Amino acid sequence: MTRREVGTKYNIPADILVKYEEWNLRNIDNAGLNEWYYDDNDIELISLIMTLYNIGFSDDEVRKYMRLYEKNDKSKSERLCMLNNKRQDLLDEIHDKENKLEDVDYLRFELKEDR
């Protein structure tokens, strides 16, 4: 499938596909080709990339994770560390939002009591 077909069929943003092609994660020689052709392996890798972006990874983090992913079992501990760090970041954000929500609820309570 072409970039346009993949983007349309799987609702993948064009910028993700461009980055994927630039990173050449499958080490395919596309020299001389006018257009990249995607197969099921590409779709699987792109799905992982989109998940990483969805959970808040930056471009550099996604690129690093995917390079580690290429190494399979040799990089599991490093990838797990990256995911654990992101998990902690997300938990910190949740706790921050919970504290803000408590403040809002307190202010609402005060207003209701002033009636």
Side-chain angles (χ1 to χ4, degrees):
M1 284 186 279
T2 65
R3 183 189 303 167
R4 176 184 277 176
E5 291 168 337
V6 167
T8 301
K9 182 174 182 178
Y10 297 103
N11 199 28
I12 301 170
D15 63 322
I16 299 289
L17 296 173
V18 168
K19 288 174 189 174
Y20 179 75
E21 292 174 15
E22 288 173 355
W23 296 341
N24 197 17
L25 296 171
R26 294 192 47 223
N27 296 315
I28 297 172
D29 182 14
N30 283 306
L33 295 178
N34 290 333
E35 190 164 12
W36 189 293
Y37 287 92
Y38 295 84
D39 62 19
D40 291 339
N41 293 324
D42 293 308
I43 302 306
E44 184 178 323
L45 291 174
I46 292 167
S47 176
L48 175 56
I49 289 169
M50 289 183 63
T51 299
L52 294 171
Y53 276 118
N54 189 48
I55 62 175
F57 274 43
S58 68
D59 284 348
D60 290 339
E61 290 170 321
V62 171
R63 186 180 308 118
K64 179 179 179 181
Y65 188 96
M66 294 308 294
R67 291 293 178 210
L68 291 169
Y69 182 82
E70 289 178 311
K71 297 177 182 178
N72 296 319
D73 291 342
K74 297 175 188 172
S75 70
K76 277 187 177 180
S77 63
E78 196 168 351
R79 286 183 286 145
L80 184 59
C81 182
M82 289 180 76
L83 293 171
N84 286 338
N85 289 339
K86 185 54 67 180
R87 184 179 194 281
Q88 187 58 54
D89 291 346
L90 291 170
L91 282 172
D92 291 345
E93 285 180 39
I94 289 169
H95 293 141
D96 182 55
K97 297 282 187 194
E98 286 175 335
N99 289 335
K100 289 177 182 178
L101 185 59
E102 287 174 10
D103 290 343
V104 168
D105 287 343
Y106 176 74
L107 292 173
R108 289 175 64 222
F109 172 77
E110 282 187 331
L111 283 173
K112 288 179 183 178
E113 290 296 308
D114 283 345
R115 288 185 190 181

PDB file of all heavy atoms in Angstrom, residues 80-102:
ATOM      1  N   LEU A  80      11.655  -1.349  29.022  1.00  0.00           N
ATOM      2  CA  LEU A  80      10.821  -1.385  30.215  1.00  0.00           C
ATOM      3  C   LEU A  80      11.115  -0.176  31.104  1.00  0.00           C
ATOM      4  O   LEU A  80      10.196   0.437  31.664  1.00  0.00           O
ATOM      5  CB  LEU A  80      11.039  -2.689  30.983  1.00  0.00           C
ATOM      6  CG  LEU A  80      10.150  -2.902  32.198  1.00  0.00           C
ATOM      7  CD1 LEU A  80       8.679  -2.880  31.806  1.00  0.00           C
ATOM      8  CD2 LEU A  80      10.502  -4.216  32.880  1.00  0.00           C
ATOM      9  N   CYS A  81      12.360   0.195  31.203  1.00  0.00           N
ATOM     10  CA  CYS A  81      12.746   1.377  31.973  1.00  0.00           C
ATOM     11  C   CYS A  81      12.111   2.631  31.385  1.00  0.00           C
ATOM     12  O   CYS A  81      11.590   3.474  32.129  1.00  0.00           O
ATOM     13  CB  CYS A  81      14.268   1.483  32.007  1.00  0.00           C
ATOM     14  SG  CYS A  81      14.862   2.869  32.990  1.00  0.00           S
ATOM     15  N   MET A  82      12.135   2.760  30.078  1.00  0.00           N
ATOM     16  CA  MET A  82      11.509   3.917  29.425  1.00  0.00           C
ATOM     17  C   MET A  82      10.011   3.961  29.726  1.00  0.00           C
ATOM     18  O   MET A  82       9.454   5.018  30.024  1.00  0.00           O
ATOM     19  CB  MET A  82      11.727   3.866  27.913  1.00  0.00           C
ATOM     20  CG  MET A  82      13.139   4.137  27.462  1.00  0.00           C
ATOM     21  SD  MET A  82      13.303   4.063  25.657  1.00  0.00           S
ATOM     22  CE  MET A  82      12.547   5.638  25.192  1.00  0.00           C
ATOM     23  N   LEU A  83       9.370   2.795  29.648  1.00  0.00           N
ATOM     24  CA  LEU A  83       7.929   2.736  29.916  1.00  0.00           C
ATOM     25  C   LEU A  83       7.627   3.018  31.386  1.00  0.00           C
ATOM     26  O   LEU A  83       6.648   3.702  31.701  1.00  0.00           O
ATOM     27  CB  LEU A  83       7.366   1.374  29.494  1.00  0.00           C
ATOM     28  CG  LEU A  83       7.382   1.111  27.988  1.00  0.00           C
ATOM     29  CD1 LEU A  83       7.019  -0.337  27.700  1.00  0.00           C
ATOM     30  CD2 LEU A  83       6.449   2.062  27.256  1.00  0.00           C
ATOM     31  N   ASN A  84       8.458   2.517  32.278  1.00  0.00           N
ATOM     32  CA  ASN A  84       8.267   2.795  33.704  1.00  0.00           C
ATOM     33  C   ASN A  84       8.411   4.281  34.002  1.00  0.00           C
ATOM     34  O   ASN A  84       7.648   4.841  34.788  1.00  0.00           O
ATOM     35  CB  ASN A  84       9.258   1.988  34.556  1.00  0.00           C
ATOM     36  CG  ASN A  84       8.893   0.523  34.633  1.00  0.00           C
ATOM     37  OD1 ASN A  84       7.747   0.137  34.420  1.00  0.00           O
ATOM     38  ND2 ASN A  84       9.879  -0.304  34.934  1.00  0.00           N
ATOM     39  N   ASN A  85       9.391   4.928  33.364  1.00  0.00           N
ATOM     40  CA  ASN A  85       9.567   6.364  33.545  1.00  0.00           C
ATOM     41  C   ASN A  85       8.362   7.143  33.041  1.00  0.00           C
ATOM     42  O   ASN A  85       7.902   8.092  33.680  1.00  0.00           O
ATOM     43  CB  ASN A  85      10.836   6.856  32.838  1.00  0.00           C
ATOM     44  CG  ASN A  85      12.093   6.398  33.531  1.00  0.00           C
ATOM     45  OD1 ASN A  85      12.093   6.052  34.706  1.00  0.00           O
ATOM     46  ND2 ASN A  85      13.199   6.375  32.798  1.00  0.00           N
ATOM     47  N   LYS A  86       7.849   6.736  31.880  1.00  0.00           N
ATOM     48  CA  LYS A  86       6.667   7.416  31.332  1.00  0.00           C
ATOM     49  C   LYS A  86       5.458   7.179  32.227  1.00  0.00           C
ATOM     50  O   LYS A  86       4.663   8.092  32.472  1.00  0.00           O
ATOM     51  CB  LYS A  86       6.380   6.929  29.910  1.00  0.00           C
ATOM     52  CG  LYS A  86       5.242   7.657  29.221  1.00  0.00           C
ATOM     53  CD  LYS A  86       5.389   9.154  29.194  1.00  0.00           C
ATOM     54  CE  LYS A  86       6.540   9.605  28.346  1.00  0.00           C
ATOM     55  NZ  LYS A  86       6.676  11.080  28.325  1.00  0.00           N
ATOM     56  N   ARG A  87       5.351   5.986  32.757  1.00  0.00           N
ATOM     57  CA  ARG A  87       4.247   5.664  33.668  1.00  0.00           C
ATOM     58  C   ARG A  87       4.301   6.566  34.895  1.00  0.00           C
ATOM     59  O   ARG A  87       3.282   7.108  35.342  1.00  0.00           O
ATOM     60  CB  ARG A  87       4.300   4.202  34.077  1.00  0.00           C
ATOM     61  CG  ARG A  87       3.136   3.764  34.932  1.00  0.00           C
ATOM     62  CD  ARG A  87       3.233   2.276  35.292  1.00  0.00           C
ATOM     63  NE  ARG A  87       1.990   1.792  35.826  1.00  0.00           N
ATOM     64  CZ  ARG A  87       1.584   1.990  37.082  1.00  0.00           C
ATOM     65  NH1 ARG A  87       2.339   2.690  37.915  1.00  0.00           N
ATOM     66  NH2 ARG A  87       0.424   1.517  37.495  1.00  0.00           N
ATOM     67  N   GLN A  88       5.495   6.744  35.449  1.00  0.00           N
ATOM     68  CA  GLN A  88       5.644   7.600  36.618  1.00  0.00           C
ATOM     69  C   GLN A  88       5.297   9.045  36.280  1.00  0.00           C
ATOM     70  O   GLN A  88       4.633   9.731  37.071  1.00  0.00           O
ATOM     71  CB  GLN A  88       7.060   7.517  37.188  1.00  0.00           C
ATOM     72  CG  GLN A  88       7.232   8.257  38.502  1.00  0.00           C
ATOM     73  CD  GLN A  88       6.293   7.752  39.582  1.00  0.00           C
ATOM     74  OE1 GLN A  88       6.255   6.561  39.876  1.00  0.00           O
ATOM     75  NE2 GLN A  88       5.513   8.654  40.162  1.00  0.00           N
ATOM     76  N   ASP A  89       5.719   9.496  35.108  1.00  0.00           N
ATOM     77  CA  ASP A  89       5.363  10.854  34.671  1.00  0.00           C
ATOM     78  C   ASP A  89       3.848  11.023  34.602  1.00  0.00           C
ATOM     79  O   ASP A  89       3.300  12.042  35.032  1.00  0.00           O
ATOM     80  CB  ASP A  89       5.961  11.167  33.298  1.00  0.00           C
ATOM     81  CG  ASP A  89       7.470  11.306  33.305  1.00  0.00           C
ATOM     82  OD1 ASP A  89       8.066  11.422  34.406  1.00  0.00           O
ATOM     83  OD2 ASP A  89       8.065  11.281  32.200  1.00  0.00           O
ATOM     84  N   LEU A  90       3.173  10.025  34.043  1.00  0.00           N
ATOM     85  CA  LEU A  90       1.714  10.092  33.919  1.00  0.00           C
ATOM     86  C   LEU A  90       1.046  10.063  35.286  1.00  0.00           C
ATOM     87  O   LEU A  90       0.073  10.787  35.527  1.00  0.00           O
ATOM     88  CB  LEU A  90       1.201   8.952  33.038  1.00  0.00           C
ATOM     89  CG  LEU A  90       1.573   9.054  31.562  1.00  0.00           C
ATOM     90  CD1 LEU A  90       1.241   7.760  30.827  1.00  0.00           C
ATOM     91  CD2 LEU A  90       0.881  10.230  30.910  1.00  0.00           C
ATOM     92  N   LEU A  91       1.560   9.234  36.207  1.00  0.00           N
ATOM     93  CA  LEU A  91       1.014   9.205  37.565  1.00  0.00           C
ATOM     94  C   LEU A  91       1.195  10.551  38.261  1.00  0.00           C
ATOM     95  O   LEU A  91       0.290  11.024  38.964  1.00  0.00           O
ATOM     96  CB  LEU A  91       1.678   8.099  38.387  1.00  0.00           C
ATOM     97  CG  LEU A  91       1.196   6.686  38.127  1.00  0.00           C
ATOM     98  CD1 LEU A  91       2.075   5.681  38.867  1.00  0.00           C
ATOM     99  CD2 LEU A  91      -0.257   6.519  38.535  1.00  0.00           C
ATOM    100  N   ASP A  92       2.350  11.170  38.056  1.00  0.00           N
ATOM    101  CA  ASP A  92       2.586  12.495  38.626  1.00  0.00           C
ATOM    102  C   ASP A  92       1.579  13.507  38.089  1.00  0.00           C
ATOM    103  O   ASP A  92       1.052  14.335  38.846  1.00  0.00           O
ATOM    104  CB  ASP A  92       4.018  12.968  38.337  1.00  0.00           C
ATOM    105  CG  ASP A  92       5.075  12.178  39.090  1.00  0.00           C
ATOM    106  OD1 ASP A  92       4.726  11.457  40.057  1.00  0.00           O
ATOM    107  OD2 ASP A  92       6.259  12.275  38.694  1.00  0.00           O
ATOM    108  N   GLU A  93       1.292  13.436  36.798  1.00  0.00           N
ATOM    109  CA  GLU A  93       0.294  14.328  36.194  1.00  0.00           C
ATOM    110  C   GLU A  93      -1.083  14.081  36.792  1.00  0.00           C
ATOM    111  O   GLU A  93      -1.828  15.028  37.071  1.00  0.00           O
ATOM    112  CB  GLU A  93       0.232  14.117  34.682  1.00  0.00           C
ATOM    113  CG  GLU A  93       1.373  14.703  33.908  1.00  0.00           C
ATOM    114  CD  GLU A  93       1.240  14.454  32.409  1.00  0.00           C
ATOM    115  OE1 GLU A  93       0.101  14.530  31.882  1.00  0.00           O
ATOM    116  OE2 GLU A  93       2.268  14.186  31.771  1.00  0.00           O
ATOM    117  N   ILE A  94      -1.429  12.804  36.966  1.00  0.00           N
ATOM    118  CA  ILE A  94      -2.730  12.454  37.547  1.00  0.00           C
ATOM    119  C   ILE A  94      -2.839  13.013  38.963  1.00  0.00           C
ATOM    120  O   ILE A  94      -3.857  13.618  39.330  1.00  0.00           O
ATOM    121  CB  ILE A  94      -2.942  10.926  37.533  1.00  0.00           C
ATOM    122  CG1 ILE A  94      -3.175  10.443  36.105  1.00  0.00           C
ATOM    123  CG2 ILE A  94      -4.123  10.529  38.442  1.00  0.00           C
ATOM    124  CD1 ILE A  94      -3.141   8.936  35.949  1.00  0.00           C
ATOM    125  N   HIS A  95      -1.790  12.833  39.754  1.00  0.00           N
ATOM    126  CA  HIS A  95      -1.825  13.333  41.129  1.00  0.00           C
ATOM    127  C   HIS A  95      -1.938  14.855  41.161  1.00  0.00           C
ATOM    128  O   HIS A  95      -2.658  15.415  41.997  1.00  0.00           O
ATOM    129  CB  HIS A  95      -0.596  12.857  41.903  1.00  0.00           C
ATOM    130  CG  HIS A  95      -0.588  11.382  42.127  1.00  0.00           C
ATOM    131  ND1 HIS A  95       0.549  10.635  42.050  1.00  0.00           N
ATOM    132  CD2 HIS A  95      -1.583  10.513  42.403  1.00  0.00           C
ATOM    133  CE1 HIS A  95       0.255   9.363  42.263  1.00  0.00           C
ATOM    134  NE2 HIS A  95      -1.039   9.265  42.483  1.00  0.00           N
ATOM    135  N   ASP A  96      -1.253  15.513  40.239  1.00  0.00           N
ATOM    136  CA  ASP A  96      -1.350  16.966  40.148  1.00  0.00           C
ATOM    137  C   ASP A  96      -2.779  17.382  39.811  1.00  0.00           C
ATOM    138  O   ASP A  96      -3.328  18.304  40.421  1.00  0.00           O
ATOM    139  CB  ASP A  96      -0.364  17.495  39.104  1.00  0.00           C
ATOM    140  CG  ASP A  96      -0.389  19.004  39.009  1.00  0.00           C
ATOM    141  OD1 ASP A  96      -0.200  19.666  40.053  1.00  0.00           O
ATOM    142  OD2 ASP A  96      -0.591  19.515  37.888  1.00  0.00           O
ATOM    143  N   LYS A  97      -3.386  16.693  38.865  1.00  0.00           N
ATOM    144  CA  LYS A  97      -4.774  17.008  38.479  1.00  0.00           C
ATOM    145  C   LYS A  97      -5.727  16.720  39.636  1.00  0.00           C
ATOM    146  O   LYS A  97      -6.688  17.467  39.859  1.00  0.00           O
ATOM    147  CB  LYS A  97      -5.199  16.188  37.250  1.00  0.00           C
ATOM    148  CG  LYS A  97      -4.410  16.479  36.003  1.00  0.00           C
ATOM    149  CD  LYS A  97      -4.841  17.730  35.341  1.00  0.00           C
ATOM    150  CE  LYS A  97      -4.111  17.854  34.021  1.00  0.00           C
ATOM    151  NZ  LYS A  97      -4.192  19.156  33.450  1.00  0.00           N
ATOM    152  N   GLU A  98      -5.496  15.632  40.382  1.00  0.00           N
ATOM    153  CA  GLU A  98      -6.336  15.316  41.533  1.00  0.00           C
ATOM    154  C   GLU A  98      -6.265  16.426  42.578  1.00  0.00           C
ATOM    155  O   GLU A  98      -7.286  16.810  43.159  1.00  0.00           O
ATOM    156  CB  GLU A  98      -5.916  13.981  42.163  1.00  0.00           C
ATOM    157  CG  GLU A  98      -6.319  12.775  41.359  1.00  0.00           C
ATOM    158  CD  GLU A  98      -5.787  11.467  41.926  1.00  0.00           C
ATOM    159  OE1 GLU A  98      -4.744  11.480  42.630  1.00  0.00           O
ATOM    160  OE2 GLU A  98      -6.419  10.433  41.674  1.00  0.00           O
ATOM    161  N   ASN A  99      -5.065  16.938  42.817  1.00  0.00           N
ATOM    162  CA  ASN A  99      -4.914  18.032  43.779  1.00  0.00           C
ATOM    163  C   ASN A  99      -5.656  19.279  43.322  1.00  0.00           C
ATOM    164  O   ASN A  99      -6.298  19.968  44.126  1.00  0.00           O
ATOM    165  CB  ASN A  99      -3.434  18.352  44.006  1.00  0.00           C
ATOM    166  CG  ASN A  99      -2.722  17.267  44.780  1.00  0.00           C
ATOM    167  OD1 ASN A  99      -3.336  16.524  45.536  1.00  0.00           O
ATOM    168  ND2 ASN A  99      -1.421  17.164  44.591  1.00  0.00           N
ATOM    169  N   LYS A 100      -5.584  19.571  42.037  1.00  0.00           N
ATOM    170  CA  LYS A 100      -6.306  20.720  41.504  1.00  0.00           C
ATOM    171  C   LYS A 100      -7.812  20.516  41.612  1.00  0.00           C
ATOM    172  O   LYS A 100      -8.555  21.453  41.929  1.00  0.00           O
ATOM    173  CB  LYS A 100      -5.902  20.971  40.053  1.00  0.00           C
ATOM    174  CG  LYS A 100      -4.488  21.504  39.923  1.00  0.00           C
ATOM    175  CD  LYS A 100      -4.066  21.672  38.485  1.00  0.00           C
ATOM    176  CE  LYS A 100      -2.624  22.162  38.428  1.00  0.00           C
ATOM    177  NZ  LYS A 100      -2.148  22.298  37.062  1.00  0.00           N
ATOM    178  N   LEU A 101      -8.262  19.298  41.361  1.00  0.00           N
ATOM    179  CA  LEU A 101      -9.677  18.991  41.468  1.00  0.00           C
ATOM    180  C   LEU A 101     -10.161  19.156  42.916  1.00  0.00           C
ATOM    181  O   LEU A 101     -11.254  19.683  43.161  1.00  0.00           O
ATOM    182  CB  LEU A 101      -9.945  17.570  40.969  1.00  0.00           C
ATOM    183  CG  LEU A 101     -11.385  17.116  40.887  1.00  0.00           C
ATOM    184  CD1 LEU A 101     -12.184  18.031  39.967  1.00  0.00           C
ATOM    185  CD2 LEU A 101     -11.450  15.684  40.397  1.00  0.00           C
ATOM    186  N   GLU A 102      -9.345  18.734  43.854  1.00  0.00           N
ATOM    187  CA  GLU A 102      -9.685  18.928  45.266  1.00  0.00           C
ATOM    188  C   GLU A 102      -9.814  20.408  45.597  1.00  0.00           C
ATOM    189  O   GLU A 102     -10.722  20.811  46.348  1.00  0.00           O
ATOM    190  CB  GLU A 102      -8.642  18.277  46.163  1.00  0.00           C
ATOM    191  CG  GLU A 102      -8.704  16.771  46.177  1.00  0.00           C
ATOM    192  CD  GLU A 102      -7.566  16.130  46.968  1.00  0.00           C
ATOM    193  OE1 GLU A 102      -6.820  16.859  47.670  1.00  0.00           O
ATOM    194  OE2 GLU A 102      -7.426  14.900  46.880  1.00  0.00           O
TER     195      GLU A 102
END
